[in-house]
Amino acid sequence: MSGGKSAAEVFDELGARYEEVFGRVPGQLAALDWLTARLAPGARVLDVGSGTGRPTAEALARAGCAVTGIDVSAHMVDLARSRVPQARFEQADVRTYAAEAGGFDAVCSFFPLLVMDQREVAAALERMASWVAPGGYFVMATVPGDISGLDIVWMGHEVSVSSLSTAEHLRLLGAAGLEVLEHHTALFLPGAEHAGAAGAAAAVEPEEHLFCYARRPA
């Protein structure tokens, strides 16, 4: 990775400011509604890049799921434990996290893969897919594009970001044994949901978000 801070450093410093800007992304809330409607009470769900615990872990726990959240930021993990005490959170990196193959009824991945390189993004998608049980679901969101080690300033922090094209995301998920049931892109305008977030959102440009809903055949 070229210049810029690590994901852990950035999110340790951002803390609750991240939730102010990205805690009410309409496409993410819709994805959570879609997922929780398909999960039985007690379903085991992994939230990768759980952040402050809101909105993902909170919505899943409210639906009666057994939620585990992982995040590289120790500060985010502390915030999540205080905000969503009914879920379990641990500081861990998706690139090295040890999980049982097929160990979760659903895996969520809302924007945790951008501050790594393209090879790591692809490997993380394969790893997360392997953790989905037969009949289980994988729901993800990212900023799509064939982007490799692009240095940007995001929310006041210099970061190096990478991603994959929409077509490559779909190819990798299919190769990992998942059936993509739906995918779409949506333009997110930071601050549009809550006027109070306008100050924090001022440092964030509009983003194109890719949402994928997938399932591992039973």
Side-chain angles (χ1 to χ4, degrees), residues 14 17-18 20-21 155-156 190-192 194-205:
L14 284 177
R17 288 183 60 232
Y18 181 84
E20 292 175 14
V21 180
M155 292 191 73
H194 295 289
V204 184
E205 297 292 325

Side-chain angles (χ1 to χ4, degrees), residues 48-73:
V48 177
S50 46
T52 67
R54 296 175 177 164
T56 303
E58 184 177 64
L60 292 163
R62 189 186 306 119
C65 299
V67 184
T68 299
I70 63 170
D71 201 284
V72 294
S73 164

Side-chain angles (χ1 to χ4, degrees), residues 10 12-13 22 43 56 68 74 84 102 121 124 132 138 177 199 214-215 218:
V10 170
D12 275 345
E13 293 179 19
F22 292 99
T56 303
T68 299
V84 193
V121 173
V132 179
F138 176 66
R215 182 174 185 265

Side-chain angles (χ1 to χ4, degrees), residues 43-58 60-61 65-74 76-81 84-94 97-99 104 106-110 112 128 131:
R44 303 157 300 167
V45 185
L46 178 67
D47 179 14
V48 177
S50 46
T52 67
R54 296 175 177 164
T56 303
E58 184 177 64
L60 292 163
C65 299
V67 184
T68 299
I70 63 170
D71 201 284
V72 294
S73 164
M76 287 294 198
V77 169
D78 288 341
L79 288 172
R81 287 170 175 164
V84 193
Q86 60 271 51
R88 185 173 70 86
F89 298 94
E90 58 182 287
Q91 185 181 3
D93 190 318
V94 65
Y97 181 66
F104 293 94
V107 176
C108 296
S109 171
F110 291 109
M128 291 188 293
W131 301 334

